[in-house]
Amino acid sequence: EAGVAQSPRYKIIEKRQSVAFWCNPISGHATLYWYQQILGQGPKLLIQFQNNGVVDDSQLPKDRFSAERLKGVDSTLKIQPAKLEDSAVYLCASSLDPTGLETQYFGPGTRLLVL
Amino acid sequence: LAKTTQPISMDSYEGQEVNITCSHNNIATNDYITWYQQFPSQGPRFIIQGYKTKVTNEVASLFIPADRKSSTLSLPRVSLSDTAVYYCLVPLYNQGGKLIFGQGTELSVKP
């Protein structure tokens, strides 16, 4: 079974530039999550999708971050404009069912460095 | 919201058994306890999940006492490749399994 795919794996940009990350979840997984992981900390949930609808985006900085999941499969996370404090690893995860007991499967992440 | 508390770091040697204890004093009746493992430059990976007593799989065992206010992840005979960060989590059952990650326990296995 193929895992969660993410691209790019690394990205370096200057502050105030924009950047986009792509995620392809495991086939058939209805729920998709985007996390931000700052060095030395645990992942923090940014947004959760159920199919193509948003379930939770309470911790998404909506003035600069946006995410979409068209057709309920792939998803993109965008930052515009980027700030220095956005330097982090952005992890995508998916799960089969959002009831609370299903395992979340994580991708390898995209490491972002904002200069 | 069941907040979890676990040691920041632990050291061990190859071949030893490692036990990482997590406290979750305000765990609710419907809550399960879940552990994830994260290697450097990788996303977290599910290890084990349990509700009460003992759960064992090919990777680890999870011990949960009757009051469920704590749990212990047991890794038998660790090797260098078990060096990772281990997260104890209580998925929010009424919020679609939302995971609130803490800082985790950084396990360092030495030869």
Side-chain angles (χ1 to χ4, degrees):
Chain A
E1 177 181 81
V4 176
Q6 291 188 248
S7 68
R9 291 297 311 275
Y10 304 92
K11 190 75 177 178
I12 300 175
I13 62 173
E14 294 187 349
K15 61 183 179 182
R16 291 188 289 273
Q17 285 187 324
S18 62
V19 64
F21 312 126
W22 174 82
C23 172
N24 179 235
I26 293 173
S27 177
H29 281 196
T31 309
L32 185 146
Y33 312 79
W34 282 102
Y35 291 83
Q36 179 194 59
Q37 185 171 25
I38 293 172
L39 187 65
Q41 300 180 17
K44 181 182 84 171
L45 179 68
L46 293 176
I47 189 167
Q48 176 182 344
F49 291 95
Q50 169 68 10
N51 294 312
N52 60 349
V54 175
V55 173
D56 183 350
D57 63 357
S58 57
Q59 298 197 90
L60 186 73
K62 299 180 186 63
D63 58 333
R64 299 184 301 107
F65 286 64
S66 64
E68 60 181 10
R69 192 185 183 197
L70 299 177
K71 301 180 182 178
V73 181
D74 293 4
S75 177
T76 56
L77 176 70
K78 297 179 181 178
I79 307 175
Q80 182 180 9
K83 293 185 176 182
L84 297 178
E85 59 261 35
D86 298 331
S87 293
V89 176
Y90 291 85
L91 295 161
C92 178
S94 69
S95 68
L96 186 62
D97 180 271
T99 59
L101 298 181
E102 290 291 333
T103 300
Q104 291 188 25
Y105 295 86
F106 286 78
T110 296
R111 187 175 299 273
L112 173 68
L113 179 60
V114 182
L115 301 175
Chain B
L1 176 61
K3 185 178 183 299
T4 61
T5 303
Q6 54 185 123
I8 297 292
S9 64
M10 293 183 70
D11 290 332
S12 181
Y13 291 93
E14 282 190 294
Q16 289 187 331
E17 178 185 73
V18 170
N19 296 308
I20 305 174
T21 297
C22 175
S23 67
H24 25 78
N25 291 321
N26 57 340
I27 191 168
T29 304
N30 289 335
D31 288 339
Y32 277 68
I33 299 125
T34 303
W35 286 79
Y36 279 73
Q37 173 193 55
Q38 186 174 25
F39 296 115
S41 300
Q42 294 186 25
R45 181 177 76 112
F46 171 87
I47 303 177
I48 198 166
Q49 179 173 265
Y51 183 79
K52 62 180 179 180
T53 62
K54 178 184 175 182
V55 179
T56 297
N57 61 23
E58 64 278 4
V59 176
S61 294
L62 181 60
F63 298 92
I64 305 168
D67 66 5
R68 303 197 333 118
K69 293 184 183 300
S70 67
S71 59
T72 298
L73 174 74
S74 182
L75 305 172
R77 297 181 299 282
V78 294
S79 63
L80 297 177
S81 62
D82 292 315
T83 294
V85 178
Y86 293 82
Y87 295 97
C88 168
L89 300 150
V90 177
L92 299 182
Y93 189 78
N94 61 351
Q95 291 189 40
K98 183 174 178 177
L99 297 178
I100 309 295
F101 285 84
Q103 205 165 357
T105 296
E106 186 171 6
L107 174 65
S108 177
V109 180
K110 302 173 183 177

